Each structure stands twice: as structure tokens, then as C-alpha cells.
Amino acid sequence: MSRRPFGIQRRIFFVFGLFFSMVVAGGGWGVARYFTAISRSQIEQRQFDEVSLLARAMDDNVVFYLQILEGAAREVPRRVLMDPRSATIWLKGRTGIRATFENGVFLLEPKGRVLAEASSVRMGARIPGHLQPFFDAAVKHRSAAVSPPYLSETTKGPAVMMAAPLLAKDGRVLAVLAGGIDLLHSDFLGEMFRYRLANIGYFQLFDSKRRMLIHPDPARLMKPIGPAESYKLYDRAIQGFEGTGERTNSAGVATISSFKRLQAIDGILVANIPISEALHPIERFRPYLKLAVASTVLLTLCLTWLISHQLADNLEDVTNQIRVLGDFPAGERIIQTKGHDEVSVLAESFNSMMQRLDAHEQQLTQAKAESDEELALTKHILQRLVEPGLLALPPHLHMETLQTQRINGDACAYRQGLPGVHFGLICDATGHGLTAGVSTIPAVHAFLSMSNRDIPLDLIYRNINSRLHQMLPAGRFVCLMLMRLDGQNAVISILNAGLPDAILLPSHGAPRTIRSRNLPAGIVGELDNPEVEHIAVSEGDRFFAATDGLQDILGDRIQAILARQPDLPFDQCEQAIRAALEMGGQDQEQQDDVSWALWEVPPMNQP
């Protein structure tokens, strides 16, 4: 026998070679991942520490300038507050304060009116409206404060206003000394943003209104930072996040960004470094690691080939024979071997097993053919019994059986009685297969023949029970539910014999449960006073019943599903139950048939 091009030897080689190659490659990949993760973690921590130190320095710088303004406020003579001209002369004489606060120095009354100013651009009679809330807060709390960032008319860049109240001995605010300063002032915050992270990393500062206050690109200043979907980390930082994450900047470069909120002003400091630069040392190490992994994999494959060649010579020959053994008829499936090693012993045991399997296969094939024929006949008879009635169901009645591939003994049937009178049957025979299907047929046949004559449910039940008791062996029975809806007199009659609880869903009011009060049919020969429940109904009331297969699929969820149904039209209610069953059947294999019925009471003048 010729060797197959992809035989046992090659299979051993590829399986074990691939396994060890994957182990080596996976180990190399794991090492690279580990060092990348460690390096990245250290970079993120170092960057966050750096941005935290810078944020603290910026806060200290803001506090320092605020202290300068507070010191100047304490030197304001009380006499100049009574004369705007004297206040202006005094203010213009404070050259140190004027040089520090380049956007102007102002002396204002507690209500916000300008008393005196020393600025290249006049403020006007009152403090601008966008600064009024900040000014009022400083007066109210009688303490120095810093305004939210705004666009300076002097420098056309981001600026803040600082205010220091001048207090009387009794704590009243006599006046407020205010000074405006550009955030990009080299002695204030601007110098810090000339500092670079690594080679091309950079800092940013934005506020809670999503405006860029400081950025290496001057065109971005005081502009919105962009749509929320592109700056999710910015939104998280506005909501309180402080830490490090990964984002893509406006140039499309992936960066590691660290966020730290300033305490002295409304601002969030961001440190950015491109990931490619941060992980550059790891990237330099990768080629050497790949070379080492490739060399190890090549050596592993060579060793595996040599070992597989020694082990698989005779085994490959036996394997080739087994692969084509199925093409031979029963009795000719024999394996020929060379030598007397363990493979030869295995072949002899295999030949003996195949002889026994051939005999069993013939028996099973014959038995299955007979069983399939019997099941097909039973299903055909049962289908011919129930199909005409189910096809004649009126629009306000629905009954169906969700069947598995075999017969499980579930069935439902319908028959029209007198005008406006409807009969229904749901039954579930014990067991599975042919016995269950045969048990169902006489029950359905008796129901159809008697309901056509409008015979009471208890008599139908007695007749079915008598037939089954005579026919079925001990331990076999049929659980069933008989239903009769009298649309003319608005009464529904229910006889439950061993099936799960049925539910009556009134259009108004609480649901009602109809429990089993009778023995399943076929257990005893004579029945004493079968119990039939007669319930008055009204238009729109609904009745639901099912076999226990539904409970296996939906469990307690059926109660929640039915609780929502009275508000739905009948066809939508029916579709909702069917959809729940289909979804539940996808979650688990359906072992048992499911028969169910949903009836709705029609208008009195409708049949």
C-alpha cells in the first residue's frame, strides 16, 4: 500500500512541531508583552508624577501672585477710597503691581463699579458681566479669589483676573483690588509650557468648558478641544478623573496622556507623549527577540522531524489501511501488518472488534428501519386526525404543538360544536417514542368523535379514560385538558386531568388559575364524579394552557410573559408567546414536545 502524502509521520511532526513552536513563540510573545507592560506602566507612573509636580508648581505660582495682590490690597490708603482721582494717582504709582499684572490693575467698589484703573485698555464704568459672578463671590466670602479663564482684550490670549478684598476693622468690604494677568506670561505659567516631555511630548491646559487655555499651537488657544467622541478622556477629566490613559490626538497620533486638575484656577493639566516614542526602547529590542525565537523554533522542528520518522513508520502504514477500511464491505475489513511489535497486536485486536461491529451493525440497521417505519406511520395517523381541526381554528383561537424529531406523546386537537361552541384538547402521554404516540391516538380520536355531538366534557373524559385503561399497560397513562368555550352564553368549561395549571386572563381583573382536579386518563377503570370548572367570561378574556414541556423551556418566565399580554392584541400576544418559546429553545435542546393553546372570548355576536 502506498504511503499517503500527509501520513502519520508528517502528522506527528506537524502536531508536536507546531505545539513546541507555539510554546516557544508564545513564550517570546509573553516576554515582549511583559516587558512592554512593565515599561508602559513605569512610563505612565513617571509621567503622571511629572504632571502632578508641574500642576503643584503652577498652583504655587498662582497662589504667589495672589499673595502679591493681597499684600498690595493691604497697603491701599483708606483716604483714596473717597476720591477717584486720588485712587487713580495712587494706583498708577504702584509700578511693581502694574508690571506684574500686565492686563491692568483696578480698584473697584464692592458692587463692582470701577473706582480707579491703571490699564492700557479701559474696563469701563463696571466690571465686565462675565467676571461679575467671580467678583461677587470674592466680596461675599471676603477672601482673595481667581476668576475662570477668559479671552483678554489686551493680549488676545487666555487670561485670569485676581481679586483681593480690602476689609474694614469690622469685616466689611471697603473695596476690591483686582489685577488681570495673561496665562502665557513668561513669569506666570507660560514658561512651563516650553518644557518638553522626552523629544516631542508636550503639555496642554484646558478648562471645564472644554476650551484650550495653553497649547504648543497658538491657533488652538481659547478654541473648543473637539467633539466628545474624539476626546473621551477629556470629558472624564472634567468629571473628576485624574490619571493616565491612551488617546489619539488631533493629528491622528496615539499618545499616552496624563491628567491632573489644578486647585488654584479652573484648569486641567495634560501631559502627552506619543506611544511610539515612549516604547521606542522596547521596539529596538523586538528584532533581537524575534531572531532568538525563530532560531529556537527551527531547531525544534528539526528535532521533531527526526523523532517522528523513527516512531511512525509501521504506525503510518496501519493508519493508511484504517482510513480506507470503510470502503470495504462487512466481513472484508481486515488490517495487514508487518513485524510483531505493539502495532501488530493493536491491529489484531482491531480486526476482532471490527468483526463484532459488523454483526451489530447489520442488526441495528434492520431494527432502525423497522422503528422508523412504525414511527412514521404513527405520526401520519396522528397528523391526519388533528390537522383538519387545527386548520379550521377561528382567528380568536390558537393551538399548536412544537415537535421534536421523535414522537413524545404531545398533541392538541380542535373541533367546532354547535354554532358559537368550541371544543379543544391538549394531551401528553407518558414516555417517549412509539408507545407515547400510540397512546395519544385513541384519546384524540375519542375527543373528535364525541365533541362533534356536543357531549359534555365529563362524559368525553370518561370515554377516553375507559379506552386507555383497556388498551394501555400498567404504568402508562395520558395527562389531558378538555376545553369548551360557549361564545353564545359566555361560559368556558375546563377539565384538567394531570396537566400543569391553566390560566384565565380576564380583560379586567386578576388572573385565575385552573389546577388539575382529576386523575390522568388510563390509570383507573372507573371515575367518580369528574370535576369540570365552569367559568363565566366576557369579551376579550383569554385562556392559556400548555403541557409540561413549556415549563421545561420557560420555567417561571411564563408567568411574567402572560402578565403583559392582556394589553396586547390577540395576534401580538400569540406571537410574543411563540417568540419566547423559540428563544428559550435556542438556549437549551428541546427534549420534550410542547403543546399549548391561547383562546380569546369573541364578541357575543361572533361565532
Side-chain angles (χ1 to χ4, degrees), residues 540-568:
D541 291 358
R542 292 174 184 169
F543 174 78
F544 177 81
T547 58
D548 56 1
L550 180 135
Q551 196 74 16
D552 297 337
I553 296 177
L554 298 181
D556 295 336
R557 286 181 293 170
I558 186 60
Q559 302 293 337
I561 294 172
L562 293 176
R564 301 192 302 267
Q565 305 314 314
D567 298 330
L568 297 176

Side-chain angles (χ1 to χ4, degrees), residues 49-59 192 195 203 269:
D49 293 341
E50 190 169 354
V51 77
S52 298
L53 290 174
L54 184 57
R56 188 178 307 151
M58 294 173 66
D59 285 331
M192 298 179 182
Y195 178 72
F203 288 95
L269 182 61

